[in-house]
Amino acid sequence: AAKAGDKKPEQKKAAAAPAAGKKEAAPSAAKPAAAPAKKAAPAAAKKPASAAAKKPTTAATKKPVVKKTVSTKAKSAKDAKKKLVAGKKPQSVLAKLSAKARLAAKAKKGVKPGAKPSKGTAKAKAVALLNAKSVQKKIIKGAFGTRTRKVRTNVHFRRPNTLKLPRNPKYPRKSVPTRNRMDAYNIIKYPLTTEAAMKKIEDNNTLVFLTHLRANKNHVRAAVRKLYDIKVAKVNVLIRPDGQKKAYVRLARDYDALDIANKIGII
């Protein structure tokens, strides 16, 4: 009975030992389970806070943007409608159209009568070509053509003849013009009254004068006609050895040299 009684308490102790281990394990197992639960609890507490923090911001930012986009879209739609009503397509629509569609739209509009042909048409190209050719022809034909180069066979270059206008003075350079020195009284100095001169008057109907050294036959003829009012048939001049010029003036048949000599005062 004592042995049995001894064994039982050992079994009980052994049974108690695992039970105590289980109990110890249970609180230890409960602790880690409680720890993740605690961790999850603050995480869950954080999430609502963050969500709550995020929600008002998104709500505050998104709502006005949506309103703005709606308002801008409505405005653009209204503008597009107005343009379509006025007969003008908006730029976005024109940009989306293809090249064929643009040409078709232009063809529908048509060209006004009397308007100049557009740059792309064949007629405009032909006119432009003709104008260019005429200008080119003018350039080539001109004195200083750019297309043709003059063939020079000489090393010397002479300046071309340019326009030289005559003088056109605006005021006289001299206050009084110079007097003509070769007048009738200066051309004929005086008549000669030598024997040879007197013989010429009697025989040849000729008067003899000393004249200006630079006077010619025409000067003598004009001066005699002006001074004595007589017609002259012929004039001969010579320069004497002393350096003076002598003129033999033969009168016309209508005049007598003796009468003229009496009028002058020679005889």
Side-chain angles (χ1 to χ4, degrees):
K3 286 179 184 176
D6 291 334
K7 283 180 184 178
K8 279 182 181 178
E10 284 175 9
Q11 284 176 355
K12 281 182 182 179
K13 282 180 185 178
K22 281 180 184 179
K23 280 180 184 178
E24 284 174 5
S28 64
K31 279 179 184 176
K38 281 179 185 177
K39 282 181 184 175
K46 281 179 186 177
K47 277 182 184 177
S50 62
K54 282 179 185 177
K55 276 179 184 178
T57 53
T58 51
T61 52
K62 280 181 182 178
K63 280 180 183 177
V65 170
V66 170
K67 282 181 183 178
K68 281 182 184 178
T69 51
V70 169
S71 61
T72 50
K73 280 180 183 178
K75 282 181 182 178
S76 62
K78 282 180 184 179
D79 294 336
K81 279 180 184 177
K82 281 180 184 178
K83 285 182 181 179
L84 286 167
V85 170
K88 293 179 181 178
K89 292 184 180 181
Q91 288 183 355
S92 59
V93 176
L94 284 171
K96 287 174 184 176
L97 286 172
S98 61
K100 287 182 181 179
R102 283 177 197 168
L103 288 170
K106 283 181 183 177
K108 278 182 184 177
K109 283 181 183 177
V111 182
K112 291 180 182 178
K116 289 182 180 179
S118 59
K119 289 182 181 178
T121 59
K123 193 176 180 182
K125 283 181 182 177
V127 170
L129 188 65
L130 282 171
N131 290 337
K133 280 185 178 177
S134 63
V135 171
Q136 185 185 18
K137 204 175 280 182
K138 281 180 188 175
I139 289 166
I140 291 166
K141 281 186 178 178
F144 305 101
T146 54
R147 296 297 179 92
T148 55
R149 183 172 287 181
K150 187 179 178 182
V151 178
R152 297 190 178 276
T153 57
N154 194 358
V155 295
H156 300 289
F157 175 77
R158 295 184 183 276
R159 290 178 66 81
N161 292 328
T162 54
L163 181 66
K164 293 177 182 177
L165 295 171
R167 287 187 176 184
N168 186 18
K170 302 295 180 283
Y171 66 93
R173 296 301 186 269
K174 292 182 180 179
S175 60
V176 179
T178 55
R179 183 176 62 84
N180 186 17
R181 303 291 179 185
M182 293 290 287
D183 58 350
Y185 299 99
N186 201 18
I187 288 166
I188 291 172
K189 291 181 179 179
Y190 54 87
L192 280 176
T193 56
T194 59
E195 288 183 5
M198 297 308 288
K199 195 175 183 183
K200 288 282 182 185
I201 290 168
E202 291 171 1
D203 296 344
N204 300 327
N205 199 24
T206 301
L207 294 171
V208 184
F209 298 98
L210 278 179
T211 61
H212 196 277
L213 195 61
R214 290 198 209 113
N216 56 25
K217 290 180 182 181
N218 294 324
H219 289 154
V220 173
R221 189 190 294 268
V224 168
R225 188 172 183 177
K226 185 179 179 181
L227 291 172
Y228 307 119
D229 195 19
I230 53 177
K231 286 184 180 180
V232 178
K234 191 178 181 182
V235 177
N236 287 332
V237 292
L238 60 87
I239 293 173
R240 298 194 310 185
D242 62 352
Q244 289 181 319
K245 186 175 271 190
K246 184 164 68 173
Y248 293 95
V249 180
R250 187 170 151 187
L251 305 181
R253 288 181 182 181
D254 300 338
Y255 299 93
D256 188 14
L258 282 169
D259 294 340
I260 303 298
N262 284 326
K263 195 188 280 186
I264 291 168
I266 297 168
I267 298 172

